[in-house]
């Protein structure tokens, strides 16, 4: 018998599940995600699932972790302060593929160096400038990203720069050629920057989670879910945390297939921070050929073709004041629900809410609170941010007591983006407490917050809603609307038809929306989804039946839908891919681009054989290091030729080797 432990750390809840022999869920449990130390929530969920199943920790054969931490951090613009070393590029290249936006004002060095498309050195690496930059910036950032021109054809300058980073600063470093074998330097640089930004966060999560499990007596190896749904070792995840973006959503798709057996469906997973939607076709999720997109960032990470929207149970509710009618919109930022904060700091929250209710005029920061997240590094803070951080202190504070001038709003946003401060405000979770749909947290605090929000004025001068219950219904209706838009966008993006408009415009189009309402006057319009939806997430059962009704679609809400991510974390396979290129710099010469540098061969067959051999070795070794057993290899070749004077001339070949296998687990628990 094998016992598999799956854990998923979401924005609000941490889930744990125990599966016997890869066929049966024997217990599941939830604990609140503890953002100040995620391992506390992991420990709480695991202890609860072990108690519910009466399983001893030593009986666990394998543990696996999926996490929305990296996804949520990028959606919310969080992560450590980093520096980019950009070798062989021009300053204007910072604007390509959103690289400047990904840097967010963090330091950057553009220096001479890099290679050409054939792997030959274009200019020597400017080590003098590099050393000066490292000595200046080394202690003000949490990590470095390195991207050199044509590093996938010859990584020598990235390798040297990374060595200097380690020697001079001791900080973690992300080299772009280790994250993708494809061309497109600016896009690889974006990926490296985001990877560097996430390293400290993911390293802390995995390290603490492993420590908590070990302290509990779980000695089985721990795996981590990648963004494509495959498993990798915890050491691999620590080195390449960017590969865990969309980890939680990818695990949910694997879990949805396991729970329902569905072969054709839209899978929609609503969490605290995001709604993640993907298409199951022939029982498999598609891999995004353009690389994973999270929020505004398009990376070069292989991941499930997923549409991630900043919409969840803990999405920030914002007032729409444009026009006379007004209303609310949700997200994309997550805030801590007031009802949950009131469980943790009841005196502060209720005292502030009561005082605000006594005021005759509603204020901008009513029902909003701040708290510092302890244990995180604060390198590079400006004086205004440092002062604001000190003013908040170690306790929960009403926002109105902290912010003294409008100019401080920008400083607060920067602290939130760094993950140093958490904002609390009214959310759909609070609305559900007001309406009596859920009762886990402080419903009285939720009702006070909804009453305060209802008093806000819209463009016509009228109040937003009549009372707390009307306000709550307005918020839930907006969640239903934004969810159906997200599902329609995903469906239009995958639909075989050509409509001449972007999927976002099609989803919101007046004809589409009137058709959902069954318009029938002189013109009859009927529209809807022609595919089932599998609804996942703790709040899916509360919100999604109404969504299915609006869209006229079958809504599948499987048993254990609330822990689908944790299930997917342990029923997946280990898959490692390695890619490489052969080019022809001159007739009769075939150049193999390897991590160790280019190598020339006399024939196409010799070059392809050498590359396949090296990639197979690397992929097999990575799969075995990840804990795979019975590794199988699959090789795909994309050979490009051109017709020249009635003959075919070799141009380039791209080889990809995929090594797959089930995770190696010990029967009846791990070996002693």
């Amino acid at each position: 018998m094998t016992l598999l432990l799956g854990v998923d750390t979401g924005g609000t809840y941490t889930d744990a599940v125990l599966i016997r022999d890869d066929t049966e869920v024997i217990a599941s449990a939830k604990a609140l995600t503890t953002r100040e130390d995620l391992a506390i929530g992991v420990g709480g969920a695991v202890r609860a699932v072990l108690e519910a199943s009466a399983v001893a920790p030593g009986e666990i054969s394998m543990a696996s972790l999926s996490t929305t931490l990296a996804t949520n951090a990028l959606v919310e613009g969080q992560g450590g302060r980093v520096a980019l070393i950009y070798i062989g590029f021009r300053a204007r290249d910072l604007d390509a593929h959103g690289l400047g936006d990904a840097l967010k004002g963090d330091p950057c060095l553009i220096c001479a160096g890099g290679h050409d498309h054939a792997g030959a050195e274009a200019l020597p690496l400017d080590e003098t400038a590099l050393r000066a930059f490292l000595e200046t910036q080394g202690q003000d950032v949490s990590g470095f990203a390195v991207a050199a021109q044509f590093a996938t054809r010859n990584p020598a300058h990235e390798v040297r720069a990374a060595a200097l980073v380690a020697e001079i600063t001791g900080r973690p470093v992300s080299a772009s050629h280790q994250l993708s074998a494809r061309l497109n330097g600016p896009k690889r640089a974006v990926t490296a920057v985001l990877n560097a930004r996430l390293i400290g966060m993911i390293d802390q999560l995995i390290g603490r989670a492993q420590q908590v499990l070990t302290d509990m007596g779980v000695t089985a190896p721990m795996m981590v879910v990648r963004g494509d749904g495959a498993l990798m070792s915890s050491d691999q995840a620590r080195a390449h945390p960017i590969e865990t973006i969309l980890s939680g959503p990818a695990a949910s798709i694997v879990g949805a297939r396991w729970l329902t057996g569905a072969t054709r469906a839209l899978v929609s997973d609503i969490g605290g921070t995001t709604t993640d939607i993907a298409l199951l076709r022939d029982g498999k999720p598609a891999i995004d050929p353009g690389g994973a997109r999270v929020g505004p960032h398009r990376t070069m990470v292989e991941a499930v073709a997923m549409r991630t929207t900043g919409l969840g149970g803990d999405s920030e509710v914002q007032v729409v004041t444009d026009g006379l009618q007004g209303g609310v919109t949700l997200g994309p930022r997550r805030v801590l629900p007031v009802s949950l904060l009131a469980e943790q700091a009841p005196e502060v929250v209720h005292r502030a809410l009561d005082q605000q209710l006594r005021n005759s005029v509603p204020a901008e920061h009513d029902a909003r609170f701040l708290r510092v997240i302890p244990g995180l590094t604060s390198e590079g803070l400006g004086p205004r941010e440092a002062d604001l951080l000190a003013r908040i202190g170690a306790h929960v504070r009403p926002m109105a007591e902290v912010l003294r001038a409008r100019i401080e709003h920008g400083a607060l946003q920067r602290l939130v983006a760094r993950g140093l401060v958490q904002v609390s405000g009214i959310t759909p979770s609070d609305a559900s407490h007001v309406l009596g749909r859920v009762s886990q947290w402080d419903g009285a605090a939720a009702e006070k917050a909804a009453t305060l929000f209802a008093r806000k004025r819209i463009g016509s001068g009228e109040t937003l809603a009549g009372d707390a219950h009307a306000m709550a219904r307005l918020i839930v209706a907006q969640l239903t609307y934004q969810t159906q838009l997200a599902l329609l966008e995903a469906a239009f993006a995958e639909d075989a038809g050509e409509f001449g408009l972007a999927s976002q415009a099609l989803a919101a189009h007046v004809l589409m929306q009137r058709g959902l309402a069954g318009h029938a006057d002189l013109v009859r319009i009927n529209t809807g989804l022609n595919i089932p939806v599998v609804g996942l997430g703790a709040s899916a059962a509360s919100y999604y039946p109404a969504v299915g009704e609006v869209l006229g679609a079958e809504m599948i809400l499987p048993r254990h839908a609330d822990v689908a991510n944790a299930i997917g974390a342990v029923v997946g396979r280990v898959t490692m891919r390695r890619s490489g290129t052969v080019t022809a710099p001159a007739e009769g010469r075939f150049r193999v681009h390897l991590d160790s540098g280019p190598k020339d061969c006399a024939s196409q067959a010799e070059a392809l054989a050498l590359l396949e051999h090296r990639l197979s070795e690397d992929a097999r070794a990575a799969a075995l290091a990840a804990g795979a057993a019975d590794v199988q290899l699959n090789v795909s070749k994309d050979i490009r030729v051109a017709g020249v004077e009635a003959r075919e001339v070799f141009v380039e070949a791209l080889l990809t080797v995929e090594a797959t296998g089930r995770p190696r687990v010990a029967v009846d628990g791990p070996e002693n």
Side-chain angles (χ1 to χ4, degrees):
M1 179 181 72
T2 59
L3 289 171
L4 308 177
L5 171 65
V7 179
D8 173 69
T9 61
T12 304
Y13 286 107
T14 294
D15 303 331
V17 64
L18 271 175
I19 295 179
R20 179 189 291 122
D21 296 330
D22 205 14
T23 59
E24 177 190 7
V25 176
I26 60 173
S28 65
K30 287 180 174 291
L32 281 172
T33 294
T34 45
R35 291 185 69 131
E36 66 276 10
D37 184 354
L38 293 169
I40 297 173
V42 170
V46 172
R47 274 189 291 273
V49 83
L50 291 176
E51 290 172 5
S53 62
V55 167
E59 296 180 68
I60 303 297
S61 305
M62 185 190 81
S64 188
L65 175 71
S66 73
T67 176
T68 60
L69 179 61
T71 308
N72 293 350
L74 297 185
V75 167
E76 297 180 53
Q78 296 180 353
R81 188 172 189 260
V82 301
L84 170 64
I85 299 166
Y86 208 31
I87 303 170
F89 293 95
R90 298 160 298 183
R92 68 186 185 193
D93 293 327
L94 287 173
D95 296 327
H97 296 280
L99 179 54
D101 292 337
L103 273 172
K104 297 193 302 184
D106 286 355
C108 172
L109 170 69
I110 300 174
C111 67
H115 295 77
D116 62 22
H117 69 282
E121 187 177 77
L123 287 171
L125 176 63
D126 187 350
E127 291 196 18
T128 302
L130 178 53
R131 286 179 179 275
F133 180 73
L134 294 175
E135 288 167 359
T136 303
Q137 300 292 339
Q139 301 310 308
D140 292 332
V141 297
S142 61
F144 287 83
V146 179
Q149 193 171 39
F150 286 108
T152 55
R153 296 294 170 85
N154 190 336
H157 287 181
E158 283 195 5
V159 171
R160 177 58 181 160
L164 288 173
V165 170
E167 173 191 324
I168 296 172
T169 73
R171 298 293 195 191
V173 59
S174 297
S176 78
H177 78 279
Q178 295 176 331
L179 300 171
S180 176
R182 289 180 287 168
L183 295 176
N184 194 327
K187 196 171 173 183
R188 279 201 325 279
V190 170
T191 307
V193 165
L194 298 179
N195 190 70
R197 207 179 288 291
L198 294 170
I199 281 179
M201 197 179 289
I202 295 294
D203 183 70
Q204 183 182 43
L205 167 62
I206 293 173
R208 288 285 292 123
Q210 287 178 316
Q211 185 61 55
V212 165
L213 292 180
T214 300
D215 291 346
M216 293 172 59
V218 177
T219 58
M222 191 171 89
M223 312 291 285
V224 178
V225 181
R226 280 204 322 246
D228 60 358
L231 304 180
M232 60 180 169
S233 71
S234 56
D235 287 342
Q236 291 167 333
R238 285 171 129 165
H240 296 159
I242 191 69
E243 293 187 12
T244 70
I245 61 172
L246 300 180
S247 161
S252 73
I253 296 171
V254 176
R257 175 78 171 93
W258 191 86
L259 285 169
T260 66
T263 58
R264 180 180 177 272
L266 282 175
V267 179
S268 184
D269 182 7
I270 181 171
T273 308
T274 61
T275 292
D276 307 304
I277 302 171
L279 175 65
L280 266 179
R281 185 179 278 138
D282 298 325
K284 297 179 181 178
I287 301 299
D288 191 338
R293 178 186 286 278
V294 181
H297 306 297
R298 172 71 79 173
T299 71
M300 297 187 86
V301 176
E302 288 187 340
V304 168
M306 177 88 62
R307 299 181 76 87
T308 297
T309 305
L311 176 67
D314 299 344
S315 288
E316 180 179 27
V317 180
Q318 301 179 66
V319 180
V320 177
T321 56
D322 295 340
L324 297 179
Q325 190 168 357
V328 297
T329 186
L330 307 180
R333 189 171 71 172
R334 175 189 183 270
V335 295
L336 189 70
V338 173
S339 53
L340 175 53
L341 185 67
E343 289 281 302
Q344 301 166 355
E347 291 185 8
V348 174
V349 172
H350 280 283
R351 184 172 64 248
L353 293 174
D354 289 340
Q355 175 60 50
Q356 291 164 4
L357 285 168
R358 285 193 292 270
N359 296 334
S360 58
V361 179
E364 179 182 3
H365 303 310
D366 281 354
R368 293 174 69 78
F369 299 86
L370 300 173
R371 71 175 183 184
V372 173
I373 300 176
L376 299 179
T377 60
S378 55
E379 308 99 334
L381 286 184
R384 184 169 283 120
E385 289 83 3
D387 177 64
L388 202 58
L389 198 64
R391 205 183 301 163
I392 299 170
H395 304 289
V396 172
R397 296 284 305 279
M399 187 181 288
E401 292 181 6
V402 175
L403 297 180
R404 297 170 180 168
R406 183 156 294 277
I407 196 171
E408 293 180 336
H409 286 224
L412 175 60
Q413 293 309 314
R414 288 188 289 275
L415 290 173
V416 172
R418 288 282 300 275
L420 297 171
V421 170
Q422 189 171 30
V423 176
S424 175
I426 190 168
T427 68
S429 296
D430 293 307
S432 292
H433 278 79
V434 173
L435 297 175
R437 297 185 179 187
V438 293
S439 57
Q440 301 105 309
W441 306 328
D442 190 329
E447 185 150 355
K448 291 176 184 179
T451 300
L452 285 164
F453 217 80
R455 301 196 310 178
K456 291 181 178 292
R457 301 285 177 177
I458 59 176
S460 65
E462 297 179 355
T463 57
L464 189 58
D467 56 23
H469 282 71
M471 186 70 246
R473 288 193 295 272
L474 184 63
I475 293 170
V476 171
Q478 184 65 23
L479 179 67
T480 301
Y481 174 68
Q482 289 184 221
T483 301
Q484 60 101 336
L485 280 183
L487 284 164
L488 288 171
E489 285 179 32
F492 275 120
E494 298 291 341
D495 197 281
E498 290 290 337
F499 300 98
L501 292 173
S503 58
Q504 185 176 8
L506 289 166
H509 198 283
V510 62
L511 294 178
M512 184 74 216
Q513 293 299 315
R514 292 287 178 87
L516 291 176
H519 177 85
D521 190 12
L522 300 183
V523 174
R524 184 176 64 250
I525 310 173
N526 289 303
T527 58
L529 276 183
N530 191 34
I531 187 171
V533 177
V534 178
L536 304 177
S539 59
S542 177
Y543 300 129
Y544 276 17
V547 175
E549 185 176 341
V550 169
L551 294 173
E554 178 187 6
M555 182 62 69
I556 302 170
L557 300 170
R559 188 183 177 207
H560 303 303
D562 59 330
V563 291
N565 295 33
I567 291 170
V570 286
V571 298
R573 295 174 63 86
V574 173
T575 301
M576 292 291 162
R577 299 180 188 89
R578 294 293 183 267
S579 298
T581 307
V582 175
T583 60
E587 189 169 357
R589 185 148 51 103
F590 299 88
R591 180 162 293 171
V592 184
H593 298 277
L594 305 169
D595 278 351
S596 56
K599 181 176 177 56
D600 288 347
C601 298
S603 70
Q604 175 183 330
E606 179 189 358
L608 292 175
L610 172 62
L611 182 58
E612 183 176 335
H613 174 70
R614 290 287 188 89
L615 294 177
S616 297
E617 281 188 335
D618 289 351
R620 183 186 295 277
L624 291 173
D630 301 323
V631 175
Q632 304 293 316
L633 298 179
N634 180 57
V635 181
S636 62
K637 300 177 182 179
D638 180 11
I639 300 176
R640 300 170 188 174
V641 297
V644 178
E645 296 181 354
R647 65 188 181 98
E648 284 191 344
V649 175
F650 175 88
V651 176
E652 184 178 271
L654 176 66
L655 269 67
T656 299
V657 176
E658 185 178 88
T660 64
R662 281 291 296 153
R664 190 186 306 111
V665 296
V667 179
D668 295 324
E671 295 178 4
N672 296 321

